């Protein structure tokens, strides 16, 4: 039933459309799925505000490029290939950079939800800090890392959080599907971006 599921229901539905019949990653459906994950991040409140604004900014950057020529940029990697040829891919405001950071932030979230499934006894802070150290930390400078540690003190109570995101769905099953379905897309992005 629509609207009955957990906060993951919309993104799980969206993931079915991320690839073309030829198995190519489509720009708009991929960005839409990332957008549908933002409400989940909202539920963390202030703890993940930095992560959320980062993700939002990178989605906007990629969407703006896509909107400039939806036909040309129908496939997610077409913008990247164009920048690589133009030698602008390494620029900090490039779409290549945007996709890289968007993918890294999504890795962090997948890892975080995996932790919540696997380590039922961990606090939210523990789950967040562990995912952070496995994913984003190595790319962050000292300042970003310290901001993150401070933000973690604002992490919501785990049980309350789980209740909020569950809705009427089976939250553990949804988290599991989210992680297992979304991870291969992220892995593919990394592979391409290398």
């Amino acid at each position: 039933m629509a609207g009955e599921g957990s906060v993951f229901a919309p993104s799980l539905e969206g993931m079915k459309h991320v690839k073309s019949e030829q198995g190519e990653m489509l720009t708009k459906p991929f960005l839409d799925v990332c957008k549908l994950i933002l409400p989940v991040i909202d539920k963390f409140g202030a703890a993940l505000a930095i992560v959320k604004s980062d993700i939002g900014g990178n989605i906007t950057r990629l969407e703006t490029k896509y909107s400039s020529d939806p036909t040309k940029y129908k496939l997610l990697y077409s913008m990247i290939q164009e920048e690589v040829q133009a030698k602008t891919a390494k620029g900090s405001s490039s779409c290549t950079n945007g996709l890289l950071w968007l993918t890294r932030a999504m890795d962090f979230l997948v890892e975080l939800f995996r932790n919540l499934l696997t380590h039922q006894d961990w606090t939210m802070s523990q789950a967040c800090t562990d995912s952070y150290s496995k994913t984003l930390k190595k790319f962050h400078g000292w300042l970003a890392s310290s901001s993150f540690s401070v933000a973690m003190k604002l992490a919501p109570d785990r049980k309350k959080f789980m209740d909020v995101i569950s809705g009427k769905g089976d939250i553990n099953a949804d988290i599991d599907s989210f992680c297992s379905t979304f991870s291969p897309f992220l892995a593919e992005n990394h592979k391409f971006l290398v």
Side-chain angles (χ1 to χ4, degrees), residues 51-192:
V51 176
K52 188 188 171 201
S53 72
D54 244 22
I55 292 174
N58 286 319
I59 292 175
T60 305
R61 179 188 304 184
L62 293 159
E63 269 189 335
T64 305
K65 182 75 165 175
Y66 167 77
S67 308
S68 70
D69 194 339
T71 319
K72 183 179 178 186
Y73 300 122
K74 186 182 171 200
L75 302 179
L76 185 59
Y77 300 152
S78 58
M79 340 180 164
I80 314 301
Q81 281 155 332
E82 186 181 68
E83 289 182 343
V84 169
Q85 282 156 359
K87 304 220 180 334
T88 55
K90 294 239 187 317
S92 59
S93 61
S94 69
C95 287
T96 307
N97 202 36
L99 182 62
L100 179 63
W101 282 101
L102 179 57
T103 303
R104 285 171 177 171
M106 292 295 163
D107 284 337
F108 161 72
L109 290 175
V110 167
E111 198 58 51
L112 170 54
F113 286 110
R114 270 207 191 109
N115 277 341
L116 290 174
L117 269 189
T118 317
H119 304 282
Q120 299 287 333
D121 54 328
W122 282 11
T123 64
M124 187 59 92
S125 282
Q126 273 175 300
C128 286
T129 305
D130 179 78
S131 330
Y132 180 72
S133 62
K134 284 185 190 143
T135 55
L136 289 168
K137 194 177 166 72
K138 54 180 167 290
F139 307 112
H140 276 173
W142 178 83
L143 192 69
S145 295
S146 340
S147 316
F148 189 87
S149 311
V150 172
M152 277 311 98
K153 299 189 172 47
L154 307 167
D157 171 71
R158 178 183 173 136
K159 188 186 173 319
K160 276 193 199 131
F161 174 80
M162 295 305 267
D163 287 347
V164 168
I165 65 170
S166 299
K168 294 191 171 62
D170 174 350
I171 190 61
N172 289 347
D174 280 2
I175 289 180
D176 193 43
S177 315
F178 170 76
C179 295
S180 54
T181 314
F182 201 44
S183 297
F185 297 148
L186 301 175
E188 196 173 318
N189 284 355
H190 282 304
K191 206 167 112 187
F192 179 80

